[in-house]
Structure formats: structure tokens, C-alpha cells
């Protein structure tokens, strides 16, 4: 058992949290569509991107910390 490679559950846990963050994802996608149409080149979706990942992190963190030994 000591020779086994440790498994990082982060990706799996984050995937399981994505359904809870659909609203933030849709807001990000809507922004990305607006940016694609923007001719000035100054529009961006940084805020929406971080809002989405904040939602994922808020959901995933307790699950990941519960798995620590």
C-alpha cells in the first residue's frame, strides 16, 4: 500500500460541483458571446470567469479538505 501513487481527487470533485454553478457558467458564456462581437477589443469576462471558479471552489473546498489525512 505504501508503494501506491497518491490520487488527487480535485478534478473529480470540481466536476461534481459544476452542476451547482450553472448560473455563473451561463453568465460567463453570455459575456464571452458579447466579447466575440465587440470590435473595440477592450471588453473582457474576467469577472464572470472568476465568479464561476469561485462557485466551484466554494463547493469543492469542504469536500477536498474532508479527504485530507
Amino acid at each position: 500500500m505504501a508503494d501506491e501513487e497518491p490520487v488527487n481527487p480535485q478534478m473529480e470533485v470540481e466536476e461534481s460541483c459544476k452542476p451547482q454553478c450553472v448560473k455563473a457558467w451561463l453568465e460567463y458564456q453570455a459575456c464571452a458571446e458579447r466579447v466575440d462581437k465587440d470590435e473595440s477589443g477592450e471588453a473582457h469576462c474576467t469577472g464572470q470567469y472568476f465568479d464561476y471558479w469561485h462557485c466551484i471552489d466554494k463547493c469543492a473546498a469542504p469536500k477536498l479538505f474532508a479527504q485530507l489525512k
Side-chain angles (χ1 to χ4, degrees), residues 5 7 11 24 26 34 54:
E5 188 70 26
V7 177
M11 300 284 282
L26 293 175
R34 288 191 304 272
H54 174 74

Side-chain angles (χ1 to χ4, degrees), residues 10 14 17 21 50-65:
Q10 182 178 0
E14 287 178 348
C17 287
C21 300
F50 283 121
D51 288 345
Y52 173 67
W53 281 104
H54 174 74
C55 178
I56 298 287
D57 289 343
K58 187 175 179 181
C59 168
K63 296 174 184 178
L64 290 170
F65 280 107

Side-chain angles (χ1 to χ4, degrees), residues 21-56:
C21 300
V22 171
K23 181 180 177 193
W25 176 250
L26 293 175
E27 289 173 3
Y28 173 70
Q29 283 186 318
C31 179
E33 288 177 17
R34 288 191 304 272
V35 168
D36 286 341
K37 296 174 186 173
D38 180 55
E39 299 291 326
S40 71
E42 295 194 19
H44 59 83
C45 299
T46 305
Q48 290 83 354
Y49 178 81
F50 283 121
D51 288 345
Y52 173 67
W53 281 104
H54 174 74
C55 178
I56 298 287

